[in-house]
Each structure stands twice: as C-alpha cells, then as structure tokens.
Amino acid sequence: MSVNIHVVFDFDGTLATTFVGGEMFRCCTSPNRVAELSGHFSAGEISLRQYQESVFDMVDETTFEMSKRAALHGCIRKRTTEVCELVWDSGGVVSVASAGLNFYIEPVLEKAGLDRIELHSGKVLSEPGERPPFRYDYPSYVKSCRGDWVTCKCEVINRLKNNYGGSEVIFVGDGLLGDACAAVNAADTVFATGKLLRYCEKSKIPAIEFGKDFGPLLRYVHAKTFITGAS
C-alpha cells in the first residue's frame, strides 16, 4: 500500500527565512513597550496570543498596509517550491501551521506562487482598511491544547493522519512551544533547525537538520515517494 507523504511547516523562521510577524510591528511600535510585553510573556504572565494581540494593536497601520510590507520583504526558504510540488504530485498535502496571523502570511505565500498551501493560523477579521484594535479569530485553536499558542499544530497533524489512512506526516519547524509539542506528540518525522533542533537533540527526539535551504527535506520526500511508488 502506498503511503501518502504530507508536510506541515511552521511559518516564521521556517518556511519564511525571517520572523515576518516581528517585522510587521518592530518598526512601528515602542521598543520599550514591546520589551515589557515580551517580559510578561516570558514570565508566563500573559499567553502568546495575548502578547501577539497587544503588540499588533499598537501598530498604527491597517492590515492592508502591513500585508504590502510582508509581500515586499518576506522571503521563502530555498527549495520550498520543489518540496511542495513533489508532495502535491504524489497526492499529499502541504500545510502551514503557524502561531502568526493570516494577513502577513498569505501575501508571502502568494508572492511565491504557493497559495495552494493550506493555512492554519490566527486570523484578523477586521476590514483591510481598518486600524487597530483589530478583531481576531482562532479557528485552529483547540481547548485541549497544552498552551494558548494560537494554533494547535498537533491537531493539524493528527487531522491529516485521520483523513488519510496510512500517511506519514512530516513536521518542519524552528521554535519551541507549539513546534516542540508537535515534534514530541504528533509528527511521524521531524525536520528542525534553531531552537527546535537543539531541543530535539537535548531531549533525544529524532530530528533531521535543515539549514539555508530545504535540500535535506526534498531528498527525504523524493526517496519516500519513490519507494512507495506514489510519484
């Protein structure tokens, strides 16, 4: 029986080479206030969702204006398109599971010609021309999630497993919190860099390292789809 290969990417720092979300607010907010909120988050006094809403509500721009900046400056990691096309050609699904917000993720994917990727993230419901405070929605959050991390990445992975029997779901990430939870509790295979890679090494969780491009991931997916005859 063929095994479908699906890939779930984190966005900021993984699929995108930089923290695009941070670039949206760092230039337009008080550094001292952002640092103060970051300290509250690090101390566990507020959740990631609360931190994110607070910093974006300080930006004196509409989501339309921020979307334009995201499209201009956001860059996708090299070989992403090749990975996606190989997964799609073999009948698999490519998703982004992000703690970020749709208005800055979607323009980056669209610019790269990757708007076919399924996006699971927080959403801003305010009209594109409205200024903050924004109205937010979290369609990919579940109450059973261990933390208030905007999107339950484990749920995204497990849904793919349930919808496609006999599937292998690869998670690709760089951070802690939701990324680490997905790597430990849900993913069949983990590709990691940065903090997530160090966490996996320390915790003895099997993970394959990637660097400036997704060459290792591309080779892995190619080998898997070739072996199963899915391509």
Side-chain angles (χ1 to χ4, degrees):
M1 180 179 70
S2 294
V3 176
N4 288 115
I5 301 295
H6 311 293
V7 179
V8 177
F9 290 101
D10 169 57
F11 183 73
D12 287 295
T14 299
L15 192 66
T17 57
T18 59
F19 180 22
V20 181
E23 293 168 2
M24 295 300 96
F25 63 76
R26 285 192 185 121
C27 67
C28 309
T29 55
S30 164
N32 291 338
R33 178 57 178 156
V34 171
E36 180 184 357
L37 288 166
S38 180
H40 290 318
F41 168 62
S42 298
E45 297 167 2
I46 60 174
S47 69
L48 177 60
R49 175 184 56 80
Q50 292 169 320
Y51 165 75
Q52 182 165 251
E53 289 184 7
S54 296
V55 294
F56 275 108
D57 281 349
M58 290 192 296
V59 179
D60 188 24
E61 284 188 341
T62 65
T63 55
F64 176 79
E65 292 169 320
M66 285 188 278
S67 295
K68 292 293 186 183
R69 288 200 287 115
L72 183 63
H73 299 294
C75 293
I76 294 295
R77 196 172 298 272
K78 292 179 180 178
R79 313 209 78 172
T80 296
T81 299
E82 295 166 83
V83 171
C84 292
E85 289 178 347
L86 187 55
V87 172
W88 289 328
D89 288 347
S90 65
V93 174
V94 181
S95 300
V96 162
S98 172
L101 297 167
N102 64 316
F103 72 84
Y104 73 78
I105 298 174
E106 289 170 347
V108 179
L109 297 179
E110 290 170 4
K111 184 181 73 170
L114 296 172
D115 47 329
R116 182 179 169 185
I117 291 177
E118 296 183 0
L119 176 59
H120 305 270
S121 71
K123 291 186 175 183
V124 170
L125 301 180
S126 305
E127 292 298 322
E130 291 183 33
R131 293 188 180 276
F134 299 121
R135 290 175 290 112
Y136 299 89
D137 185 36
Y138 301 98
S140 297
Y141 171 75
V142 294
K143 291 182 179 179
S144 60
C145 190
R146 292 177 58 188
D148 191 358
W149 298 330
V150 179
T151 294
C152 180
K153 300 182 182 185
C154 291
E155 175 68 15
V156 174
I157 293 169
N158 289 331
R159 193 180 306 139
L160 283 170
K161 291 182 179 180
N162 292 334
N163 291 344
Y164 300 89
S167 297
E168 177 181 349
V169 182
I170 301 167
F171 178 70
V172 189
D174 76 303
L176 300 177
L177 301 179
D179 282 11
C181 189
V184 173
N185 297 306
D188 296 307
T189 307
V190 177
F191 279 76
T193 193
K195 292 179 180 179
L196 180 60
L197 179 64
R198 293 191 290 274
Y199 173 83
C200 289
E201 291 173 341
K202 182 178 180 180
S203 304
K204 301 189 184 305
I205 298 165
I208 302 168
E209 182 177 5
F210 67 90
K212 293 183 178 180
D213 64 45
F214 283 136
L217 175 59
L218 179 63
R219 290 189 290 273
Y220 181 89
V221 173
H222 182 272
K224 282 285 184 170
T225 54
F226 179 78
I227 289 171
T228 63
S231 60

